[in-house]
Amino acid sequence: MNSTGYTLDEVGKIQARTAVGNTPLIELRNITALARRYAAPGRGARIFAKDEAANPSGSFKARRAACAVAHAKKLGYKGVMAATSGNYGAAVASQAAMQGMECIVVQECYDSRGVGQPEIIEKARKCEAYGAEVVQLSVGPELFYSYLTIMQETGYFNASLYSPFGIAGVETLGYEIATQCREMVGRDPDMVVCTNAGGGMITGTARGLIKAGSPHTTMVAASIDLVGLHMASDSQFNKKSCTTGHTGFGVPYATDPDHSDTPRSAARSLRYMDRYVTVKQGEVFYCTEMLANLEGLERGPAGNTALAAAFSLAQEMPEDGVLVISETEYTGAGKHIQPQLSFARDNGIEILFGDPATEDKVGVNIVLPKDPGHIKHQEADITRFRQSLIKKACARAGVATPTPQDLVFLAEETKTDVDFVKATLGPTAD
């Protein structure tokens, strides 16, 4: 991250030039009141949402794109590229249009039948609306290979999600959350919940909070539980109804962050994560409609993963607690819950009301909560994820006996301590 050459203040000025950042922090008073109905007396923290849909491309990823595209322009590149299912591609395309640059988005889009989900198709439409060329691929291992091949052929700048420039752009988000909370409630947030996929959101947000002088805010990663579906499976590709912010991205990238389109990813989620929770697809769809009906905010599904977790997490906290959902995102024709649910039915997924915690079967059904009391996050085993990262890192580096410097690095990488690393690795670490 030190290699960007940009201070937080400089990144903020870059973003301001293209109307990125300084988005509203909105208190969700009606949802907070509803959560308190299901909480114990004296419980039910105030829930706030950082409305990142106010950015030019409609999501927080405009922050990442603004920094990366501005750097590419500064270096004299003709065009920029991104490998993404959509929101980041739209952000890069939007920023490229503002900077007068060409843009290619490489998108994992459809199965072997040529069928793509409404949400993914909508994101492609948005990228093309900004003037980008969209290269659509079938699900499988060829995404990054094709991406890197096209980049080599064109000589375009790799405006990757996982570059230091991308993560630096998200630091302004965390910084704004801290300063806006101080203005609105007179103190720092107690908890920030981030939808988690590749890890860039929680990494950048946490770093921004730290730079704002708020190092003790609890950072919670939230993903949709899609355990049991293989993300690179052709037959299972359209069995999921939420295309990002799920465990199929969140867990592999948390435990092995460097398997991306950059030699070393700047998204290191376990360095900043205090808790990792999961929610069900039906809970996310339910909370998407809840946000629209109770708060008058129609927003896309990814940010509502954090909302579903927050609704439940707030009930554990005292009433004077402050919980912030780190993002909302734009919605559009294919990103509404109705086309996603219709698409699920067309692919043999049963839609029902019930208890997601006991009735949800990934790839078989979507269980919408029969009442808000059935929105309940599940605690993921973050200790196991930390142990997995430590073991994978040593195996990848071919390190049988780690040095004292290795032990310190791995402790920092997993937000633990040297004793935890030694216990994970066993006698070879002594």
Side-chain angles (χ1 to χ4, degrees):
M1 287 302 302
N2 291 332
S3 68
T4 63
Y6 296 103
T7 65
L8 182 68
D9 183 60
E10 288 169 336
V11 171
K13 290 177 180 177
I14 288 169
Q15 292 174 342
R17 286 200 292 268
T18 52
V20 172
N22 289 313
T23 55
L25 183 67
I26 302 173
E27 184 167 7
L28 306 181
R29 293 181 178 86
N30 294 329
I31 289 179
T32 296
L34 182 62
R36 287 173 176 171
R37 289 177 55 185
Y38 295 92
R43 296 282 166 177
R46 297 167 68 181
I47 302 173
F48 294 76
K50 192 78 164 89
D51 194 16
E52 290 293 285
N55 284 308
S57 62
S59 78
F60 86 96
K61 290 179 178 175
R63 295 177 186 267
R64 302 167 95 155
C67 192
V69 175
H71 188 69
K73 180 77 171 180
K74 175 183 173 182
L75 295 179
Y77 280 83
K78 179 183 178 182
V80 290
M81 289 185 60
T84 165
S85 67
N87 277 357
Y88 185 59
V92 172
S94 170
Q95 289 295 310
M98 291 184 184
Q99 296 280 8
M101 301 179 71
E102 295 180 7
C103 178
I104 298 175
V105 173
V106 182
Q107 182 190 49
E108 190 176 64
C109 181
Y110 49 77
D111 61 17
S112 59
R113 301 172 297 162
V115 176
Q117 294 191 24
E119 184 181 351
I120 296 176
I121 302 303
E122 169 66 22
K123 291 172 181 177
R125 181 207 62 77
K126 192 169 181 73
C127 293
E128 290 175 336
Y130 290 127
E133 177 185 353
V134 180
V135 178
Q136 294 183 322
L137 304 174
S138 61
V139 64
E142 70 269 20
L143 177 66
F144 285 145
Y145 176 82
S146 299
Y147 176 74
L148 294 170
T149 299
I150 296 169
M151 187 168 63
Q152 186 176 39
E153 292 171 350
T154 60
Y156 284 4
F157 181 81
N158 182 15
S160 169
L161 279 163
Y162 307 108
S163 76
F165 307 105
I167 304 305
V170 188
E171 290 182 358
T172 59
L173 173 58
Y175 193 90
E176 288 172 23
I177 287 173
T179 55
Q180 288 174 315
C181 277
R182 291 165 188 164
E183 292 169 1
M184 294 177 69
V185 300
R187 61 188 181 86
D188 293 341
D190 298 291
M191 179 182 290
V192 173
V193 185
C194 300
T195 300
N196 190 56
M201 159 60 84
I202 196 166
T203 299
T205 302
R207 289 175 61 87
L209 282 161
I210 292 167
K211 290 184 177 182
S214 180
H216 303 300
T217 297
T218 300
M219 298 299 302
V220 180
S223 295
I224 299 168
D225 180 5
L226 289 187
V227 174
L229 285 186
H230 194 292
M231 293 306 110
S233 167
D234 175 67
S235 61
Q236 296 179 7
F237 180 66
N238 285 323
K239 292 292 185 181
K240 62 183 186 297
S241 296
C242 295
T243 63
T244 188
H246 54 66
T247 52
F249 290 128
V251 174
Y253 275 97
T255 59
D256 186 15
D258 292 325
H259 69 292
S260 68
D261 57 342
T262 56
R264 186 168 300 280
S265 175
R268 322 297 288 191
S269 59
L270 284 180
R271 279 183 171 253
Y272 303 97
M273 194 186 297
D274 296 301
R275 296 171 66 180
Y276 198 146
V277 302
T278 61
V279 292
K280 305 297 186 181
Q281 291 181 104
E283 292 170 323
V284 176
F285 285 131
Y286 190 98
C287 287
T288 299
E289 189 149 322
M290 176 196 294
L291 183 64
N293 289 177
L294 296 187
E295 302 291 352
L297 296 172
E298 186 184 45
R299 298 293 184 266
N304 294 327
T305 300
L307 176 60
F311 185 82
S312 177
L313 288 163
Q315 297 171 42
E316 302 176 347
M317 301 168 63
E319 283 188 349
D320 63 352
V322 175
L323 186 159
V324 177
I325 301 155
S326 63
E327 62 158 325
T328 65
E329 63 168 294
Y330 82 97
T331 190
K335 284 162 65 73
H336 284 279
I337 58 176
Q338 289 89 350
Q340 286 297 111
L341 289 173
S342 295
F343 185 80
R345 285 194 187 94
D346 292 343
N347 281 272
I349 304 296
E350 182 184 10
I351 313 295
L352 64 144
F353 284 90
D355 180 5
T358 59
E359 298 176 61
D360 181 85
K361 296 178 181 178
V362 175
V364 176
N365 62 23
I366 294 174
V367 182
L368 301 163
K370 60 185 177 183
D371 66 64
H374 285 85
I375 302 170
K376 296 291 183 183
H377 70 273
Q378 303 296 315
E379 204 76 30
D381 190 351
I382 194 172
T383 298
R384 183 168 64 88
F385 298 157
R386 288 166 170 160
Q387 292 168 334
S388 178
L389 184 148
I390 290 166
K391 292 175 182 178
K392 286 178 180 178
C394 288
R396 172 173 286 187
V399 172
T401 305
T403 66
Q405 291 86 354
D406 291 333
L407 296 173
V408 170
F409 167 77
L410 290 169
E412 292 174 347
E413 190 81 335
T414 52
K415 205 174 186 179
T416 58
D417 54 39
V418 168
D419 288 339
F420 179 89
V421 177
K422 287 182 176 181
T424 298
L425 294 175
T428 60
D430 295 323

